[in-house]
Amino acid sequence: MEETIVVLDYGSQYCQLIARRIRECHVYSQVIPCNTTAAEIAAMAPKGIILSGGPASVYDAGSPQLDPAILELGIPVLGICYGMQLLVKYSGGAVSSAPEREYGRAQLHIQKAGELFDGMAPEQTVWMSHGDKVTMEPTSIETLAITQNCEFAACQLKGKKLYGIQFHPEVVHSPNGIQILRNFCLKICSCQGSWNMASFIEDSVKRIRETVGNERVILGLSGGVDSSVAAALIHKAIGRQLTCIFVNNGLLRKNEAERVQELFGRNFNMDLRYIDASDRFLVKLAGVDEPEAKRHIIGAEFIEVFADAARSVDGATFLAQGTTYPDVIESMPINGNPAAMIKSHHNVGGLPKDLKFKLLEPLNKLFKDEVREVGRALGLPDEVILRQPFPGPGLGVRHLGAVTKRTLDLLREADDIFVEEVKKAGLYYKLWQAFCVFLPVRTVGVMGDQRTYDYVVALRVVESQDGMTADWVNLPDDLLRRVSNRIVNEVRGLNRVVLDITSKPPSTIEWE
Ligand code: XMP
């Protein structure tokens, strides 16, 4: 089992970032709910425990607390911000609200380097963001560092491996913060620092073989990053005991089905079942123009087609999915309150009850960039690893109104031209998404001496970190001009190209 540092999540917006930074130190780190008990933590046998920051005040009624027995486990603890205040509170110290919220850069004066600040200059810039501060130290606590406004910017319980820091070492505004985390992991917790993607692949292959034994695994391959990397990893472990199912729902982009078959079927020699269900989907979608109704039909139809295909794979007992760590974290909100539903996303979930599979989710510990690293190490091309997100309902939500084969083909052609030009301009992999949207309205144009009365496409180009918010992107004029010329010249049936210049919010990225 790999050496682990657990991060107790007290609701800090930086919680995942702490885990990522620790992984950058080549130590595996996992975020767990803040109400995890000492006994549960002991069972996980981590090498160290981090108490994250959080928006509450430790003395607020109902604010998340700490099982004090955690401090008695003999496992090193680092409390960050709110986490430090908990540590002090449960060690007999006092925390009260600071006269002013301290927010922003601060100069840290290290008074005693010890193991936590080992190898660091005595003056450091750090990022503070807190409303409370430690005002009285228990006699058993020693101050390690101060700032102008904070007498207890870093402290240690005397003789124990229990540390607190008031600032945030995980953010880029604390430029040497990672050194503090590295010291905590390697010097204080005695981790080896040997966790990396190569060791992850090796361990996973072993684990997948042990778990699966002689049984068979099926996986719904979409061609996206997560399912592709999951397929490559599982295939490395068990070869043709894995069957991938790829469904063409008639809403794919130009040549997408061919590319997936070429890469996974021929290059990787996987047992790939290609199911062309386009007609089935298009029949069900005929005349349906309401976005949620379309999404619902596409989602439900997919489950049926996939379930039929799954039944036809003899002896399959495992269902593999490309679930990643953020998917896992997002599905366990600490304070409830999942964001109100704006659009119904669909993935392979809710399979019919008679299909009882054991789940295999080999990527569920990895962040997205780690998934990409694994994919690269397994030989997947950039085209797959750096692929822009493509929604499950595919072109169905990029073709407004009711879809038809002919108008979907118009969209496919226009989109292919747009993406090709954006790639040629070297911009494709720098953007979150760049795609065309089909508008079911016709406008008048003139071509040669002929009047045309044809459809419109919109160009949608956005930058984003996570798809939750997005900014529209101003592509260079000459690129836009080339794209527009090529689309109206090469795609008969389109005579107008428009540009979407709205951000999210208030718009969404996809148009439906
Ligand atoms: P919206 O349109 O909600 O999209 O701003 C945010 C991000 O999510 C993608 N998206 C989906 N992904 N299934 C998916 O797997 C879906 O149904 C779906 N709908 C939107 C979208 O492409 C964007 O990156």
Side-chain angles (χ1 to χ4, degrees):
M1 193 169 124
E2 61 260 306
E3 298 177 321
T4 304
I5 301 283
V6 293
V7 180
L8 265 67
D9 181 357
Y10 283 96
S12 165
Q13 55 176 325
Y14 302 130
C15 220
Q16 288 198 36
L17 196 55
I18 300 173
R20 299 185 63 136
R21 291 279 177 263
I22 291 172
R23 291 181 183 198
E24 284 169 27
C25 304
H26 300 296
V27 175
Y28 175 64
S29 175
Q30 195 183 338
V31 178
I32 58 176
C34 62
N35 55 6
T36 310
T37 63
E40 287 164 337
I41 292 180
M44 297 171 77
K47 297 284 281 186
I49 300 166
I50 291 187
L51 313 175
S52 85
S57 172
V58 292
Y59 289 117
D60 283 350
S63 62
Q65 299 294 317
L66 169 75
D67 176 356
I70 289 174
L71 305 179
E72 307 295 331
L73 289 173
I75 300 171
V77 175
L78 174 66
I80 296 176
C81 196
Y82 183 82
M84 165 178 175
Q85 291 155 17
L86 282 173
L87 185 73
V88 170
K89 176 181 167 187
Y90 286 100
S91 309
V95 175
S96 54
S97 87
E100 283 169 49
R101 260 184 75 80
E102 196 179 5
Y103 187 81
R105 285 194 175 77
Q107 196 62 22
L108 184 78
H109 310 283
I110 298 172
Q111 298 185 320
K112 180 173 178 204
E115 287 179 309
L116 193 62
F117 297 113
D118 190 43
M120 297 178 69
E123 298 293 310
Q124 295 287 334
T125 302
V126 294
W127 184 257
M128 290 282 196
S129 168
H130 63 109
D132 289 348
K133 64 179 183 180
V134 174
T135 46
M136 190 194 82
E137 55 182 328
T139 47
S140 52
I141 282 195
E142 181 173 18
T143 299
L144 302 180
I146 57 168
T147 64
Q148 196 178 358
N149 295 324
C150 191
E151 307 149 67
F152 306 106
C155 62
Q156 179 183 4
L157 263 103
K158 286 181 192 155
K160 296 191 178 172
K161 292 193 168 193
L162 304 177
Y163 295 83
I165 50 182
Q166 184 60 73
F167 53 90
H168 288 273
E170 67 277 17
V171 302
V172 288
H173 312 294
S174 297
N176 296 324
I178 188 145
Q179 181 64 35
I180 300 171
L181 294 173
R182 189 176 293 120
N183 285 344
F184 178 69
C185 297
L186 305 187
K187 294 191 190 303
I188 296 169
C189 304
S190 308
C191 293
Q192 302 288 320
S194 55
W195 192 74
N196 58 35
M197 287 310 119
S199 67
F200 171 84
I201 292 175
E202 206 178 297
D203 288 351
S204 301
V205 163
K206 222 185 290 163
R207 207 169 305 164
I208 293 167
R209 282 183 188 149
E210 280 166 15
T211 311
V212 173
N214 294 325
E215 299 178 37
R216 293 198 68 81
V217 180
I218 54 163
L219 177 144
L221 185 66
S222 70
V225 183
D226 301 344
S227 68
S228 298
V229 175
L233 181 59
I234 298 168
H235 182 254
K236 184 178 169 73
I238 58 167
R240 290 180 74 90
Q241 275 169 271
L242 168 72
T243 298
C244 291
I245 297 170
F246 178 79
V247 175
N248 183 347
N249 59 5
L251 303 164
L252 301 176
R253 288 163 295 185
K254 189 173 172 184
N255 298 331
E256 198 163 359
E258 292 75 14
R259 284 196 194 121
V260 168
Q261 291 179 82
E262 171 73 28
L263 178 63
F264 294 96
R266 281 186 281 281
N267 293 5
F268 272 84
N269 191 26
M270 285 186 196
D271 177 21
L272 176 68
R273 311 269 167 102
Y274 170 70
I275 298 170
D276 185 355
S278 359
D279 290 344
R280 239 176 107 158
F281 279 81
L282 294 189
V283 166
K284 283 266 162 67
L285 286 167
V288 181
D289 60 2
E290 203 281 315
E292 277 303 304
K294 284 163 71 181
R295 278 177 173 271
H296 184 78
I297 291 171
I298 298 166
E301 198 62 16
F302 180 84
I303 290 170
E304 260 187 46
V305 172
F306 185 81
D308 281 350
R311 284 191 195 95
S312 75
V313 179
D314 274 346
T317 47
F318 282 92
L319 172 70
Q321 293 188 325
T323 315
T324 66
Y325 194 46
D327 303 331
V328 177
I329 296 181
E330 275 159 28
S331 58
M332 55 163 202
I334 64 160
N335 295 324
N337 188 28
M341 191 202 78
I342 307 209
K343 298 176 188 183
S344 55
H345 285 207
H346 93 269
N347 290 310
V348 189
L351 285 175
K353 288 214 169 48
D354 69 305
L355 280 177
K356 287 200 185 72
F357 286 108
K358 294 175 268 188
L359 270 189
L360 187 65
E361 298 182 313
L363 308 178
N364 66 2
K365 290 176 168 180
L366 300 188
F367 289 107
K368 195 78 176 190
D369 49 350
E370 295 171 330
V371 171
R372 293 200 166 96
E373 228 183 292
V374 168
R376 193 163 280 128
L378 292 170
L380 289 172
D382 275 1
E383 195 186 308
V384 172
I385 291 168
L386 301 178
R387 195 180 92 138
Q388 293 178 351
F390 184 61
L395 298 183
V397 294
R398 295 183 176 177
H399 176 303
L400 308 195
V403 296
T404 66
K405 167 93 172 59
R406 174 176 142 66
T407 47
L408 281 166
D409 281 339
L410 295 179
L411 173 57
R412 270 189 269 269
E413 292 300 328
D415 189 66
D416 190 58
I417 291 171
F418 185 33
V419 170
E420 185 187 318
E421 289 296 337
V422 174
K423 278 188 176 160
K424 267 199 225 152
L427 294 172
Y428 184 79
Y429 294 123
K430 297 184 179 148
L431 299 166
W432 177 260
Q433 277 168 311
F435 57 87
C436 285
V437 179
F438 177 84
L439 312 189
V441 287
R442 290 199 293 167
T443 72
V444 173
V446 53
M447 267 212 138
D449 294 327
Q450 295 273 315
R451 174 186 190 271
T452 57
Y453 185 51
D454 284 333
Y455 291 107
V456 185
V457 285
L459 309 180
R460 182 67 164 145
V461 198
V462 292
E463 268 169 357
S464 173
Q465 292 303 315
D466 52 13
M468 304 295 283
T469 62
D471 283 325
W472 67 277
V473 175
N474 204 357
L475 291 180
D477 278 4
D478 59 334
L479 173 59
L480 289 173
R481 217 175 284 281
R482 204 161 44 246
V483 168
S484 154
N485 275 339
R486 280 196 58 193
I487 290 177
V488 291
N489 281 309
E490 293 176 31
V491 190
R492 187 163 291 204
L494 297 176
N495 70 355
R496 194 172 296 269
V497 178
V498 298
L499 180 63
D500 182 349
I501 52 167
T502 34
S503 291
K504 172 183 180 177
S507 288
T508 53
I509 298 176
E510 307 291 347
W511 279 36
E512 282 192 342

